């Protein structure tokens, strides 16, 4: 959304921002009810601070109630969301569209946006956005290029939500991850999280690391095959924020210490022709019954899905398997964001 | 839908089942109003017995009234149907989506489900179902593998409707066929049906044969080119149920005797490189004005569509051409099933 | 829509027609309120005369008010539109779907209609239409063959809107173009329009020329590279209607005289292997700041979009750049047509 003459909007270097009007608020209730925030776009995980996260989570919990309690909620009745997907991602798209419809809103869907714009006939993303904003009230965009969401938000006069832009950001995934941790473990300060699997290419774990850095006394363990180790930029960022982190090759030991074991898929498509490296990496760290057996009672296993065999099916039955609840939380977070962007707090 | 602790649900070997609570009911009204049935999933034609068919047909007739009488029926307001199509079938999909929307419900559409799950990244169907059930209230699934619908229903905690799973089943097509016969001919007991065309590969005629076997004094004629004859399993099934059947090479003679001439398309894709066999089979039995001329006045021509030239266009004008009414009946049957699965009788 | 026994419908050679019952009406209000018109299908730009255009534009202005004023208008509640697209055109599709949803209607979407009908299995367009009309209240069709929309309208018992049929017609684009001219310039009689770019292949400019011919004292300038000059049929048509036209190679001179500079994209796909001709044509006439500098204050730049570099980005900031407002007007025109076809004036 381009700049609005809003008392509640703060520009801090980047134009995409949301924050408290006058510093930190006193209590959570006032924070939510006092109209002191304005969320304009959702572009990157880093745009959210602790207070806003906490407020969003409170709305997400209301959304759970709405989804469960009633048929035909009409909070967003008459609002139209355009899902502009330049690459297919049915999972994310269905989650957003369900969120919109659960609140009584309507949806315009484009799954192959590539065919009608930039890529096909040479139209710029900006021109496409200017057209689509004429047909809708909010745009949810998935793009194959890093930075595309920010460009869209700069152009649009309506809110834009980034549903993933290439290797860049996927902020609603990061939000639902943090929301899930809080729901499952009961806290965010002081938690120990093991990030497992493909840490080099996984957009998810990178964004999650950024968000976890906003909390206190967090400890992060990186457990990954050598070829897909967490990159230095994240490590340096964590260090600069005072977050403790550690690399480990011992999943069992990490699992026994953590509140959250966050497993990820080794992405075959990142290995090109080096199938040998892929195969080696893939079998390296599996969450199975053995891993469960050393985990604490209150700890949980998370995964952004889809999973292949990096979590064995036998784990599904364990109450600590939180990944399907995590997927469901994506619905509540997206309901919350749609509500906040369209009708405010 | 996974097992529910329901007084009205009977497990008889397979978990997918629906039936009368205490044997056969006295009258049709009580049957419908007494809440004695519960339909959990729609997976295969064989799951329906006469009484349930009769009850579903009564609801389908109500649906006709609803579709014709009013704008904006709200029976399923607030319900969300996910159409999860692993292969495209716009005809079937539009029919289901129209049914849902005619009743005030909402739809999440995935036409290329293959891209986001099993086939693409290796996710299992079960994992996909666990995610999608978090976003919707009922799943309508089309799949390329026989048995996929049953697997989905075993996993899901919400109802699943099979919209065709490979060479397996397509139960709503079978239901609409039987519904059409009853609407057009006025009865099901005692009818004579000629099944014509590709009887070896046609999922439709196989399911229809199963359903017809539930009625009394039915006589079935198989009229097909040698290469696509009805397979023995169906013949044996019919014999075991006491249904009379006969193979014939004379379409004119069969047409003169039948209440229903059910024509089907010879499916080119089943012949591989043997185009010669396809061409030979294709021209063998055509329903045209000559066939109409020997048919009885009350008899009808049916076809699951799409048709090529196996029914000539001149037949369309004849009131006995029932195939477009048959397609429309698909809407009513699907409205009925959605109502029954989501809000009950 | 097939023939209806309607007092208000006039057949004049072609069956697709709409017109005043008894000649011209006295005043615009009576025209609109007196139920003297009936719009059955929208197939080609030529079907509209001045009076009907004027009436449609009045409804389109009402639609602007509806879109801006209220959330959740319910004018078309309970109506179902099927978008049957045999080739992708997300822009046009989203515009129609937005129009339907802004009025409270519902949509069934098929973006790859080719896969389920004629092209794929050999079903005729007529059979597809007969099926789809059973599921919906109005069909919006995009097709790759000229004349397809007319065939669909001949078959269907519900209204059909042509959303572009191959090199044939795209009447709603022509309507929104004329609507935009009237909105931007304030009149249609007496205007001067420069048509620039690919005039040989541009369906848009051809339809626009037909519509402009219905107004008085219009002057049209054709400015195009030699290889994509306006064809003789249009020139002869304009002459026969008493419309003055002129060919020019001097964009600056034309721009200085015109009320509207209507720029179009040179369509690469029309040049086949002659990339050299494409490149030559493409750079020939660009609307940039220099062109703006000679244009009159009240004049506007229009473009059907998408644009490449035939209008430079610097032009966007100028208030005379009307092309994004033009795209938005497409929404209002489509809302108006949907209203007129479904619930009347």
């Amino acid at each position: 959304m381009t700049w609005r003459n809003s008392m509640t909007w703060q520009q801090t270097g980047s134009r995409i921002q949301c924050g408290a009007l006058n510093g930190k608020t006193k209590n959570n209730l006032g924070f939510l009810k006092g109209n002191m925030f304005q969320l304009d776009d959702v572009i990157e995980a880093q745009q959210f601070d602790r207070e806003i996260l906490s407020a969003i989570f409170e709305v997400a919990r209301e959304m759970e109630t709405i989804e469960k309690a009633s048929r035909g909620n009409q909070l967003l009745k008459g609002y139209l969301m355009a899902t502009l997907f330049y690459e297919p991602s049915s999972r994310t798209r269905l989650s957003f569209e369900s969120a919109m419809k659960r609140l009584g809103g309507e949806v315009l869907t484009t799954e192959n946006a590539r065919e009608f714009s930039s890529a096909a006939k040479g139209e710029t993303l900006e021109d496409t956005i200017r057209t689509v904003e004429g047909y809708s009230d909010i745009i949810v965009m998935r793009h194959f290029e890093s930075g595309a969401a920010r460009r869209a938000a700069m152009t649009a006069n309506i809110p834009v939500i980034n549903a993933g832009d290439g290797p860049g950001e996927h902020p609603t995934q990061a939000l639902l991850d943090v929301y899930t941790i809080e729901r499952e473990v009961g806290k965010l300060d002081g938690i120990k999280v093991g990030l497992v699997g493909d840490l080099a290419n996984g957009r998810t774990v990178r964004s999650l690391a950024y968000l976890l850095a906003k909390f206190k006394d967090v400890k992060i363990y990186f457990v990954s095959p050598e070829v897909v180790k967490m990159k230095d930029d994240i490590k340096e960022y964590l260090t600069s924020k005072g977050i403790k982190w550690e690399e480990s090759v011992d999943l069992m030991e990490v699992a026994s210490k953590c509140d959250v074991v966050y497993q990820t898929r080794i992405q075959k498509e990142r290995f090109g022709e080096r199938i040998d490296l892929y195969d080696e990496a893939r079998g390296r760290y599996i969450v199975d019954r053995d891993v469960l057996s050393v985990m604490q009672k209150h700890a949980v296993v998370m995964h952004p899905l889809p999973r292949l065999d990096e979590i064995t099916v036998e784990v599904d039955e364990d109450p600590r398997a939180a990944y399907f609840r995590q997927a469901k939380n994506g619905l509540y977070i997206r309901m919350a964001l749609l509500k906040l962007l369209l009708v405010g707090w």
Side-chain angles (χ1 to χ4, degrees), chain A:
Chain A
M1 184 178 277
T2 51
W3 189 83
R4 288 195 295 204
N5 188 4
S6 159
M7 293 295 289
T8 61
W9 187 83
Q10 298 185 320
Q11 195 156 9
T12 61
S14 147
R15 56 160 286 291
I16 295 149
Q17 178 67 14
C18 60
L21 177 60
N22 41 19
K24 304 310 163 207
T25 51
K26 297 300 183 297
N27 59 59
N28 213 28
L29 198 74
F31 181 89
L32 280 172
K33 307 288 182 198
N35 287 322
M36 282 183 294
F37 285 87
Q38 181 170 334
L39 196 58
D40 276 355
D41 299 286
V42 175
I43 304 302
E44 55 187 32
Q46 296 91 305
Q47 83 184 83
F48 301 104
D49 63 22
R50 280 186 74 117
E51 283 72 25
I52 298 172
L53 284 175
S54 166
I56 291 172
F57 292 172
E58 186 156 331
V59 178
R61 276 187 294 272
E62 285 173 32
M63 296 298 123
E64 279 196 52
T65 320
I66 283 178
E67 193 241 2
K68 295 209 167 76
S70 67
R71 292 279 156 216
N73 182 283
Q74 301 289 297
L75 194 57
L76 298 186
K77 185 181 166 80
Y79 285 95
L80 208 39
M81 173 181 100
T83 46
L84 195 59
F85 274 49
Y86 285 80
E87 58 178 22
S89 174
S90 301
R91 182 184 304 277
T92 301
R93 183 174 62 78
L94 289 187
S95 175
F96 271 109
E97 296 187 356
S98 180
M100 192 66 184
K101 294 190 172 185
R102 287 294 189 203
L103 291 172
E106 272 294 339
V107 174
L108 301 175
T109 298
T110 326
E111 258 197 298
N112 49 357
R114 246 175 138 143
E115 278 184 43
F116 88 101
S117 56
S118 320
K121 292 179 181 166
E123 183 177 61
T124 62
L125 175 62
E126 282 77 5
D127 276 18
T128 304
I129 292 293
R130 279 191 194 99
T131 302
V132 173
E133 72 174 339
Y135 304 151
S136 57
D137 301 304
I138 187 167
I139 293 172
V140 175
M141 190 176 85
R142 174 88 162 207
H143 205 278
F144 48 92
E145 269 178 27
S146 187
R150 182 176 291 268
R151 284 169 58 205
M154 298 288 283
T155 302
N157 286 299
I158 61 174
V160 171
I161 300 180
N162 183 1
D165 54 349
E169 287 273 351
H170 191 4
T172 60
Q173 177 71 45
L175 285 177
L176 79 89
D177 286 345
V178 179
Y179 181 62
T180 300
I181 294 173
E182 204 214 29
R183 295 278 288 157
E184 297 284 337
V185 183
K187 64 175 182 180
L188 284 160
D189 290 325
I191 56 158
K192 296 188 178 65
V193 178
L195 300 178
V196 188
D198 185 347
L199 306 183
N201 304 302
R203 185 170 55 183
T204 307
V205 285
R206 292 173 55 86
S207 294
L208 180 55
Y210 275 121
L211 276 192
L212 288 175
K214 297 181 188 293
F215 296 88
K216 279 182 280 189
D217 301 323
V218 171
K219 174 80 184 268
I220 302 183
Y221 298 88
F222 300 123
V223 184
S224 69
E226 190 63 27
V227 286
V228 286
K229 280 177 63 177
M230 180 56 84
K231 290 178 180 165
D232 286 341
D233 62 335
I234 296 286
K235 294 180 193 163
E236 284 158 17
Y237 179 81
L238 292 175
T239 301
S240 77
K241 294 287 175 184
I243 301 293
K244 281 177 244 156
W245 58 267
E246 191 175 296
E247 291 186 314
S248 168
V249 294
D250 188 345
L251 174 57
M252 295 299 277
E253 201 217 333
V254 167
S256 71
K257 286 194 258 179
C258 281
D259 302 292
V260 177
V261 173
Y262 195 105
Q263 174 69 296
T264 61
R265 182 171 65 91
I266 306 284
Q267 298 177 51
K268 191 177 185 179
E269 55 271 32
R270 307 287 184 178
F271 286 82
E273 295 182 357
R274 296 302 307 269
I275 298 296
D276 55 324
L277 289 180
Y278 166 67
D279 285 334
E280 189 196 316
R282 184 179 168 185
R284 190 75 181 81
Y285 296 108
I286 305 282
V287 175
D288 56 12
R289 215 175 299 198
D290 291 343
V291 173
L292 274 182
S293 72
V294 300
M295 283 176 62
Q296 298 172 71
K297 260 208 166 152
H298 77 277
V300 291
V301 179
M302 291 174 61
H303 191 296
L305 303 182
R307 64 142 167 205
L308 303 193
D309 49 12
E310 63 273 7
I311 299 177
T312 59
V313 174
E314 64 196 11
V315 174
D316 296 3
E317 303 305 311
D318 196 285
R320 290 170 292 179
Y323 27 94
F324 294 117
R325 296 192 294 273
Q326 181 185 358
K328 183 73 184 246
N329 286 336
L331 179 70
Y332 304 131
I333 283 292
R334 284 156 189 148
M335 287 171 76
L337 292 174
L338 290 170
K339 174 196 182 293
L340 293 175
L341 288 164
L342 288 169
V343 300
W345 297 97

